[in-house]
Amino acid sequence: MVGYDPKPDGRNNTKLQVAVAGSVSGLVTRALISPFDVIKIRFQLQHERLSRRDPNAKYHGIFQASRQILQEEGLTAFWKGHIPAQILSIGYGAVQVYNTLRHAVRTMYRSEGPRVFYKGLAPTLIAIFPYAGLQFSCYSSLKHLYKWAMPAEGKKNENLQNLLCGSGAGVISKTLTYPLDLFKKRLQVGGFEHARAAFGQVRRYKGLMDCAKQVLQKEGALGFFKGLSPSLLKAALSTGFMFFWYEFFCNVFHCMNRTASQR
């Protein structure tokens, strides 16, 4: 993965092996945490309060949303959008272009032109650098803390260390940059307001600052953190699994290299 080098841990992985380990870990992780992503986005796009007290709210909790999505749309609904997300996780490798994805691209281009593919770009660019920096910085700091706090016997279990420290890093970095993710999702669905009519209120935003202003005025400061709970579960599991599987595959390649060199 970008920004993480396994060589200081004594492994002799090649650059290709590191790239493969990162890609495969991304693929496996994305498949496992996709349901949390679906629920998070539903929460982010709901303008009504996430509360049972609001009669117009379609969703008000993780378990309630899970049951409703399962009843109304079936099990496969938890992996909607999974194909383009997997393309992103794998690292833009060679992939088969699926009919549904191709149809979506054609429809979006015809209705709004090439600019439609860059809606929400501003908050994405603003968030990506601090998020990545915080993620790896926190991971490194938490590893040092883990080694300081854990008894000598526990330090031998590196997989547990990678999972716990990766999860913690994901939670911290996601919480600090979360409002930008919400703005991105709100801006990305602009132009599809008619399709959202069944989900509740519909609003239009002129840009990033207008989106932030409307959310603050109409939903309050807590509106910036709608969907944070499933997002944190996703971030913890995603980052934890990512580092876990990345370290696992790097170790596999290291063992293969060592065995090959001894022949």
Side-chain angles (χ1 to χ4, degrees), residues 3 54 57 66 149 157 159 169 171 181 189 196 207 210-211:
D54 190 336
S66 300
N157 192 340
N159 286 334
V171 167
D181 189 43
V189 298
R196 292 200 61 254
D210 181 55
C211 179

Side-chain angles (χ1 to χ4, degrees), residues 44 178-186 215 223-224 226:
Q44 286 179 324
Y178 187 79
L180 291 166
D181 189 43
L182 183 136
F183 301 152
K184 179 185 72 173
K185 296 299 189 302
R186 294 281 180 98
V215 171
F224 293 135
K226 276 186 175 176

Side-chain angles (χ1 to χ4, degrees), residues 39-66:
I39 295 171
K40 178 201 74 170
I41 293 172
R42 300 289 177 97
F43 285 3
Q44 286 179 324
L45 299 181
Q46 179 172 296
H47 297 141
E48 294 80 6
R49 288 187 305 160
L50 297 172
S51 172
R52 291 187 179 90
R53 298 176 182 176
D54 190 336
N56 297 316
K58 184 177 179 68
Y59 305 117
H60 52 73
I62 295 176
F63 294 112
Q64 177 270 337
S66 300

Side-chain angles (χ1 to χ4, degrees), residues 162-176:
N162 297 329
L163 185 61
L164 292 177
C165 295
S167 297
V171 167
I172 295 170
S173 54
K174 175 58 71 175
T175 300
L176 294 176

Side-chain angles (χ1 to χ4, degrees), residues 29-253:
T29 299
R30 172 60 63 177
L32 292 173
I33 55 89
S34 180
F36 292 103
D37 207 26
V38 169
I39 295 171
K40 178 201 74 170
I41 293 172
R42 300 289 177 97
F43 285 3
Q44 286 179 324
L45 299 181
Q46 179 172 296
H47 297 141
E48 294 80 6
R49 288 187 305 160
L50 297 172
S51 172
R52 291 187 179 90
R53 298 176 182 176
D54 190 336
N56 297 316
K58 184 177 179 68
Y59 305 117
H60 52 73
I62 295 176
F63 294 112
Q64 177 270 337
S66 300
R67 287 195 303 269
Q68 189 152 348
I69 292 171
L70 183 62
Q71 291 172 358
E72 295 179 352
E73 305 171 55
L75 186 63
T76 57
F78 292 109
W79 281 270
K80 283 184 176 179
H82 182 61
I83 294 169
Q86 277 291 21
I87 296 172
L88 196 62
S89 296
I90 294 170
Y92 310 99
V95 294
Q96 178 182 357
V97 179
Y98 289 80
N99 289 332
T100 53
L101 179 59
R102 188 167 60 243
H103 172 71
V105 170
R106 279 203 306 262
T107 302
M108 291 168 69
Y109 182 83
R110 288 173 181 171
S111 61
E112 299 184 62
R115 291 182 62 184
V116 69
F117 300 112
Y118 298 94
K119 284 184 176 181
L121 180 61
T124 300
L125 293 177
I126 294 171
I128 191 169
F129 294 109
Y131 180 76
L134 284 167
Q135 194 176 48
F136 285 104
S137 176
C138 291
Y139 179 67
S140 178
S141 298
L142 289 173
K143 282 184 73 173
H144 288 300
L145 181 63
Y146 180 92
K147 291 176 181 178
W148 174 78
M150 185 62 63
E153 302 78 37
K155 293 179 181 179
K156 297 178 182 178
N157 192 340
E158 291 188 359
N159 286 334
L160 178 61
Q161 171 190 283
N162 297 329
L163 185 61
L164 292 177
C165 295
S167 297
V171 167
I172 295 170
S173 54
K174 175 58 71 175
T175 300
L176 294 176
T177 59
Y178 187 79
L180 291 166
D181 189 43
L182 183 136
F183 301 152
K184 179 185 72 173
K185 296 299 189 302
R186 294 281 180 98
L187 293 171
Q188 284 178 330
V189 298
F192 294 90
E193 289 82 3
H194 62 284
R196 292 200 61 254
F199 287 87
Q201 296 180 34
V202 176
R203 296 192 194 127
R204 299 177 188 274
Y205 305 110
K206 298 176 182 178
L208 174 58
M209 297 306 296
D210 181 55
C211 179
K213 182 180 178 181
Q214 286 198 48
V215 171
L216 182 61
Q217 290 178 341
K218 299 176 181 179
E219 302 171 56
L222 290 178
F224 293 135
F225 296 93
K226 276 186 175 176
L228 180 61
S229 52
S231 181
L232 289 182
L233 284 172
K234 175 202 166 188
L237 293 172
S238 176
T239 311
F241 282 144
M242 180 70 77
F243 282 111
F244 174 83
W245 289 112
Y246 176 71
E247 298 280 5
F248 174 81
F249 287 115
C250 279
N251 284 330
V252 169
F253 287 131

